[in-house]
Amino acid sequence: MSEHDHEHHHDHDHSELSETQVRVRALETVLTEKGYVDPAALDLLIETYEKKVGPRNGARVVAKAWADPAYRARLLKDATPAIAEIGYAGRQGEHIVALENTPKLHNMVVCTLCSCYPWPVLGLPPVWYKSAPYRSRAVADPRGVLADFGVSLPKDTEIRIWDSTAEIRYLVLPMRPADTEGWSEEKLAELVTRDSMIGTGLPRSPKDLK
Amino acid sequence: MNGAQDMGGKHGFGPVHPEPNEPVFHAEWEKRAFALTLAMGMPGGWNIDMSRFARENRPPTEYLSMSYYQIWYAALEHMIKERGLVSDDEVAAGHSLRPPKPVKRVLSPADVAKTLHRGGRPIAKRIRKPSSSPAIAFGRKTSTPLPTLACLLTCAATSAPSSA
């Protein structure tokens, strides 16, 4: 591609973006003038998913399951009420299933059709989760996808892919890292990454925290 | 419905590119499009299946070339116009040109937290428990409504064999 072509392409993208920006703003004005939306409610919705509801919620669930065998059992039996015990529930998490990773089994979650994701525990999905490369390849070449994330699993570990639906969302319960005996839930939660709860990553190890 | 959104197993989309320290939104308009879609669900009266259909029903070439929130926005506009809440000339003008249509409810700031926390009704609770006695007793006369044109078209589309 010549430099000229590149510049043209860039301008094109830029103007398209501005067009979307202008159009979204115009629609918001129309909807506000008609009284269908309250801009203060919109601000609150955005703030909720930017600041309050995110993967730190899921990390607390996982850390509790690592620290408390009775909670772990409740979570694996019926995750939705177990997660609600800690106060997380609602939109896009009405029915959550927890998937336990073991030395023999690694779970990985995708939504091949769209972007279904357990919002109350993980927040809104990242761009790659909603992207065509992840949605298309997770089910066909999971080890290749894991390699894109820098993750390599032993050959004899079974990888199970779960295709989310609008009705059922999944939370991976990763394996508790070694050398964490006696750790508090708060400290354990620091080891839990977002990707480890989707299955495209592993938890941090204690030495990563230092 | 099989369309461009049905991506499982499709080849050629290339590697996954994780973004380190990814922000929740990548532009101001994405935030507004997201929040408008959630908030308009109340006066618009649509459920998750309807909004997903509106997104996935984009023509495949459009679907594949649009960003995620561009698809959300296109579906939002479509659903609002479909219900006669806003018309093309108003979006073009950027102002309301007609009185609003009466709507049942509008999302107030005070309701945001509890509406999100309540969520929708999960399917597991919507499935009726099997009863020991049938809903319609044998021999009872019933009438079945004829399928609408829209249903016939959808049924025809979903039952058509897909070419390999």
Side-chain angles (χ1 to χ4, degrees):
Chain A
M1 190 187 277
S2 75
E3 202 173 312
H4 173 78
D5 280 342
H6 178 76
E7 271 174 28
H8 173 78
H9 186 68
H10 178 80
D11 286 351
H12 180 67
D13 280 349
H14 184 72
S15 65
E16 250 179 20
L17 198 66
S18 313
E19 200 185 299
T20 309
Q21 236 154 3
V22 169
R23 209 168 166 87
V24 173
R25 195 170 302 159
L27 187 69
E28 182 176 338
T29 307
V30 177
L31 295 174
T32 307
E33 286 176 356
K34 285 187 183 280
Y36 297 149
V37 294
D38 180 337
L42 302 180
D43 293 340
L44 266 176
L45 285 166
I46 296 162
E47 193 193 308
T48 302
Y49 290 102
E50 272 198 314
K51 309 228 164 86
K52 293 181 187 152
V53 180
R56 295 337 296 159
N57 292 5
R60 278 192 64 199
V61 172
V62 168
K64 190 172 172 64
W66 282 347
D68 177 350
Y71 182 76
R72 178 191 192 91
R74 290 202 294 284
L75 181 72
L76 292 173
K77 188 164 176 248
D78 191 356
T80 319
I83 289 167
E85 283 177 35
I86 321 187
Y88 310 134
R91 197 178 176 102
Q92 314 283 324
E94 291 88 350
H95 187 169
I96 300 179
V97 171
L99 309 166
E100 183 185 29
N101 282 356
T102 70
K104 291 239 164 356
L105 173 70
H106 180 88
N107 296 286
M108 192 168 124
V109 182
V110 63
C111 177
T112 61
L113 289 170
C114 182
S115 53
C116 295
Y117 193 74
W119 288 14
V121 279
L122 296 187
L124 300 182
V127 166
W128 60 258
Y129 184 86
K130 306 176 283 195
S131 73
Y134 185 70
R135 286 160 55 188
S136 62
R137 208 150 61 91
V139 289
D141 178 21
R143 283 184 192 268
V145 168
L146 285 170
D148 291 342
F149 286 85
V151 175
S152 155
L153 296 172
K155 274 209 173 96
D156 58 348
T157 300
E158 180 192 340
I159 302 178
R160 204 171 283 174
I161 308 297
W162 298 77
D163 199 353
S164 315
T165 67
E167 299 291 352
I168 298 181
R169 322 277 170 131
Y170 301 98
L171 177 75
V172 173
L173 175 58
M175 284 189 285
R176 179 173 173 161
D179 307 319
T180 56
E181 290 74 25
W183 282 34
S184 68
E185 281 178 30
E186 290 71 29
K187 206 171 164 200
L188 285 170
E190 289 177 45
L191 299 174
V192 185
T193 62
R194 178 196 64 198
D195 291 359
S196 73
M197 294 181 279
I198 304 172
T200 54
L202 301 173
R204 294 187 186 98
S205 77
K207 62 176 188 290
D208 294 332
L209 288 188
K210 283 166 196 158
Chain B
M1 175 181 147
N2 76 29
Q5 88 288 352
D6 195 352
M7 290 179 170
K10 295 271 195 310
H11 292 174
F13 285 112
V16 182
H17 293 289
E19 182 186 347
N21 304 312
E22 178 176 340
V24 177
F25 298 101
H26 291 75
E28 186 60 28
W29 70 265
E30 289 189 353
K31 301 180 191 184
R32 306 315 284 182
F34 166 78
L36 282 171
T37 302
L38 260 60
M40 278 306 294
M42 213 173 243
W46 56 72
N47 61 30
I48 187 171
D49 303 315
M50 296 174 190
S51 54
R52 269 194 62 182
F53 180 73
R55 282 171 212 141
E56 294 171 8
N57 200 26
R58 303 281 99 206
T61 45
E62 263 182 45
Y63 185 90
L64 291 172
S65 60
M66 290 162 103
S67 78
Y68 183 74
Y69 283 114
Q70 279 176 332
I71 295 172
W72 269 51
Y73 179 75
L76 172 66
E77 246 195 59
H78 176 81
M79 291 189 289
I80 288 171
K81 288 179 188 165
E82 194 177 47
R83 285 157 181 78
L85 296 172
V86 165
S87 46
D88 279 326
D89 56 348
E90 293 178 307
V91 182
H95 286 289
S96 170
L97 304 173
R98 270 158 230 107
K101 230 177 133 171
V103 291
K104 272 190 192 154
R105 282 184 69 198
V106 169
L107 182 66
S108 72
D111 284 340
V112 167
K114 73 171 176 238
T115 303
L116 292 177
H117 197 265
R118 190 174 55 229
R121 247 183 114 204
I123 190 78
K125 288 195 181 156
R126 278 189 266 144
I127 298 170
R128 261 194 306 158
K129 290 223 167 71
S131 149
S132 54
S133 56
I136 297 167
F138 183 72
R140 193 182 131 194
K141 276 191 183 170
T142 62
S143 66
T144 311
L146 287 168
T148 61
L149 180 62
C151 171
L152 282 172
L153 289 171
T154 318
C155 298
T158 46
S159 60
S162 66
S163 55

